[in-house]
Amino acid sequence: MPYSPRVHHRLVERLGRERVLVSPEELLTYSYDATPMLGHRPEAVAIVKNADEVAFVHRLANEELCPLVPRGSGTGLSGGSVPVPGSVVLLMTHMNRILEIDSRNLTATVEPGVITGVLQAEVEKLGLFYPPDPGSARICTLGGNVAENAGGLRGLKYGVTKNYVMGMEVVLPTGELLKLGGKCVKDVAGYNLSDFLVGSEGLLGTFTQFTLKLLPKPEARKTMLAVYDSISDAAETVSDIIAAHILPCTLEFLDQMTVRCVEESFQLGLLTDCGALLLIEVDGRQPVVEEDARTIMDICRKRHARSLSLAGGEDEAEGLRAARRAAFSALARARPTCILEDVTVPRSEVAPMVEVVRRIAKEEDLLIANFGHAGDGNLHPTCLTDERNESEIERVHRAFTAIFHAAVRMGGTITGEHGVGIAKKPFLECVAGPEGLELMKKLKATLDPNAILNPGKMFEAKPRREGPLPGEGRAEPRRAQR
Ligand SMILES: Cc1cc2nc3c(=O)[nH]c(=O)nc-3n(C[C@H](O)[C@H](O)[C@H](O)COP(=O)(O)OP(=O)(O)OC[C@H]3O[C@@H](n4cnc5c(N)ncnc54)[C@H](O)[C@@H]3O)c2cc1C
């Protein structure tokens, strides 16, 4: 049965009244994440402070067949932490201690509610470096990052979150606490269950601790901004830089519509008639960084960059990064609804993919801006629309369906970093295939026989017993609950 007075009583008994939120105002706050047009009010929010409490809530949920939705900061862009009907939100943000920074082993041991940017800043004070850098680093949690295998602005050179998870403590859906991996650089004892759980989107367990890999902080960094009249020159610059065997840590792209929205919102002095803009950063040993920056500037000039800026110091670099950091929030202000997508194609297909998005936007008469991690082939086509306009929303769905299928045809995927959640459920099979999808469902059923943990995300998870799944059903459009 979903949430009941008995579940409420047992939660309050264990966590205390102040850590079981049930007032309508509080529940509204936890009804949605950063994905537009999705939302559902939970029955309660349980604030947990340690792994034992997490295990207790999991066991209770199994006994009472009450759906549970783990939640970090709620910045997800696929509906992963949007509550399902009858559910309890398991709020992880109060488990937010950095337990250890081990400079000898280059590791950090952290709780899942630590904000990503806080860990980055703390390790940098010690001359160390935690590379994963999602655009939301100042607000998202490490738990959310591991659950989504978050990428970000440094993926091209440094990879994504999974490359930095060496070990974890996780509560399985049925309540058992597991410790996996640790500080050993090499460990091939049995299946790598820790790797398997990265990217599981809160379906296969709730993380309560991580051991994360750190690197020495790069000695030097150079930041450049190149402005182009033509989008294809910008795309060719990306290919030429990689062909020159330079791996920038950041290689980000903004198209004209994105640049215009950023300028309108934040007045950074950007050239709004440009075709595209590239933010490029290289890091490493000082002499290599100097040489790579020179080579990149030459490539940009050869590819007809209309203007080229090289930051003199960290303040100037922050100024050049501002346009990219502001892209999403600027687009979100432009029209009532902003639907940000996340297709990834092989790097060689970035220019054709940008063209496909432009063509589809034109055919469907929609405003679709494009920006993203060009160096990883990860683009964020972003539709500026209005959810109240039903016929336009129909065209938006048609356009994105065409964009996803085009990406898959090019050897790409429907999501590079935001995950499947609710938003991409209908498209998972076109990437995973029917057998792949079936295997994912079997793994879920094995670990979560009662389908209590984040049910209805990624795919429909059926409990092994007869009868309907508690919380089964789609999260409702956010508008419907106002
Ligand atoms: C402005 C903006 C920029 C962004 N830029 C990027 C980017 O560059 N790269 C990128 O990859 N993403 C980006 N995102 C998306 C989002 O920030 C990431 O997916 C992030 O990892 C989510 O973290 P969170 O703490 O907000 O998690 P939530 O949104 O709360 O949850 C996300 C998922 O993780 C699960 N979860 C959370 N905590 C746990 C836990 N302890 N155990 C098990 N499961 C858990 C939830 O159930 C849910 O399925 C951006 C979002 C915004 C709003």
Side-chain angles (χ1 to χ4, degrees):
M1 146 194 344
Y3 199 70
S4 63
R6 196 170 51 199
V7 175
H8 181 74
H9 174 75
R10 289 187 61 194
L11 278 177
V12 169
E13 201 176 57
R14 176 71 192 249
L15 304 178
R17 196 166 296 282
E18 67 292 352
R19 287 205 274 135
V20 184
L21 313 182
V22 286
S23 78
E25 302 78 20
E26 287 164 329
L27 296 184
L28 185 62
T29 313
Y30 297 97
S31 299
Y32 50 86
D33 66 1
T35 322
M37 300 200 297
L38 289 177
H40 200 286
R41 208 170 295 202
E43 299 295 322
V45 175
I47 300 176
V48 281
K49 292 202 168 165
N50 57 53
D52 282 348
E53 289 179 354
V54 175
F56 163 80
V57 179
H58 279 225
R59 285 195 301 271
L60 175 64
N62 272 277
E63 283 162 28
E64 301 288 339
L65 300 178
C66 173
L68 270 188
V69 180
R71 182 181 177 100
S73 293
T75 66
L77 288 167
S78 56
S81 58
V82 172
V84 298
S87 63
V88 172
V89 165
L90 190 59
L91 188 61
M92 303 305 293
T93 48
H94 293 241
M95 291 179 66
N96 60 357
R97 289 174 303 160
I98 297 177
L99 301 170
E100 182 193 45
I101 297 174
D102 181 346
S103 300
R104 284 159 65 93
N105 284 305
L106 295 181
T107 59
T109 305
V110 297
E111 291 184 328
V114 171
I115 299 293
T116 312
V118 169
L119 177 69
Q120 288 170 340
E122 286 304 310
V123 302
E124 284 185 26
K125 285 181 195 162
L126 302 172
L128 298 169
F129 184 42
Y130 178 66
D133 189 31
S136 50
R138 287 184 194 159
I139 44 175
C140 63
T141 65
L142 290 165
N145 293 172
V146 175
E148 297 290 357
N149 190 11
L153 278 71
R154 298 179 187 138
L156 172 60
K157 179 169 178 181
Y158 290 106
V160 294
T161 303
K162 76 170 178 206
N163 304 114
Y164 296 88
V165 181
M166 297 177 71
M168 62 169 64
E169 200 182 82
V170 58
V171 175
L172 293 180
T174 37
E176 302 85 351
L177 180 70
L178 232 65
K179 289 179 198 267
L180 306 168
K183 292 185 181 178
C184 292
V185 174
K186 290 179 163 182
D187 179 0
V188 291
Y191 294 144
N192 193 327
L193 297 176
S194 167
D195 271 10
F196 166 64
L197 291 172
V198 176
S200 55
E201 298 193 20
L203 269 75
L204 301 181
T206 300
F207 307 122
T208 52
Q209 203 181 102
F210 304 115
T211 304
L212 300 173
K213 173 169 128 178
L214 304 175
L215 298 179
K217 189 175 166 195
E219 180 185 296
R221 181 155 65 172
K222 287 270 176 207
T223 305
M224 291 152 273
L225 195 71
V227 179
Y228 295 83
D229 286 327
S230 113
I231 208 162
S232 57
D233 280 337
E236 294 302 339
T237 301
V238 172
S239 306
D240 288 357
I241 291 172
I242 291 162
H245 295 180
I246 298 174
L247 271 190
C249 58
T250 300
L251 187 34
E252 297 283 309
F253 139 88
L254 274 68
D255 75 352
Q256 186 184 60
M257 201 187 296
T258 311
V259 171
R260 283 190 177 163
C261 288
V262 170
E263 191 51 30
E264 246 164 57
S265 288
F266 298 105
Q267 293 86 45
L268 300 175
L270 302 170
L271 300 167
T272 50
D273 62 340
C274 70
L277 181 155
L278 287 181
L279 171 72
I280 311 165
E281 289 190 291
V282 281
D283 67 0
R285 308 287 295 182
Q286 184 80 39
V288 179
V289 167
E290 301 279 354
E291 195 188 321
D292 283 353
R294 269 196 301 275
T295 311
I296 288 173
M297 305 260 290
D298 285 346
I299 291 172
C300 294
R301 283 188 204 101
K302 276 190 198 134
R303 285 292 174 189
H304 320 295
R306 175 165 135 194
S307 96
L308 200 50
S309 319
L310 173 69
E314 189 45 35
D315 283 353
E316 275 181 48
E318 210 32 62
L320 297 185
R321 284 180 211 125
R324 171 61 185 90
R325 292 263 181 216
F328 181 36
S329 42
L331 290 169
R333 289 179 190 194
R335 290 204 65 206
T337 310
C338 167
I339 303 179
L340 182 141
E341 276 306 345
D342 176 36
V343 289
T344 302
V345 289
R347 273 193 288 257
S348 55
E349 304 300 314
V350 166
M353 190 66 216
V354 168
E355 203 35 55
V356 165
V357 173
R358 282 216 300 195
R359 177 178 53 73
I360 293 172
K362 202 165 165 209
E363 279 167 12
E364 296 290 355
D365 190 23
L366 292 168
L367 288 176
I368 304 186
N370 213 338
F371 71 100
H373 318 296
D376 317 347
N378 186 190
L379 298 174
H380 294 314
T382 303
C383 190
L384 312 182
T385 180
D386 184 343
E387 65 188 277
R388 293 163 301 189
N389 182 338
E390 282 179 23
S391 75
E392 186 167 311
I393 291 296
E394 228 173 78
R395 283 184 279 125
V396 172
H397 286 310
R398 222 171 30 225
F400 278 127
T401 302
I403 289 171
F404 298 150
H405 284 114
V408 172
R409 274 198 304 278
M410 288 179 183
T413 180
I414 56 167
T415 170
E417 53 182 21
H418 296 162
V420 176
I422 298 170
K424 295 285 178 63
K425 257 164 74 170
F427 305 100
L428 181 57
E429 187 168 349
C430 84
V431 183
E435 298 82 7
L437 185 60
E438 204 40 46
L439 179 59
M440 289 186 208
K441 289 181 180 176
K442 280 186 190 155
L443 291 167
K444 168 75 173 163
T446 303
L447 289 174
D448 187 8
N450 292 317
I452 58 109
L453 201 59
N454 222 355
K457 308 293 172 66
M458 210 183 284
F459 41 72
E460 290 309 329
K462 291 283 173 205
R464 286 212 188 130
R465 60 195 159 69
E466 295 296 308
L469 167 69
E472 194 169 46
R474 298 175 66 89
E476 292 157 19
R478 196 182 297 170
R479 219 164 2 123
Q481 60 172 347
R482 286 201 185 124

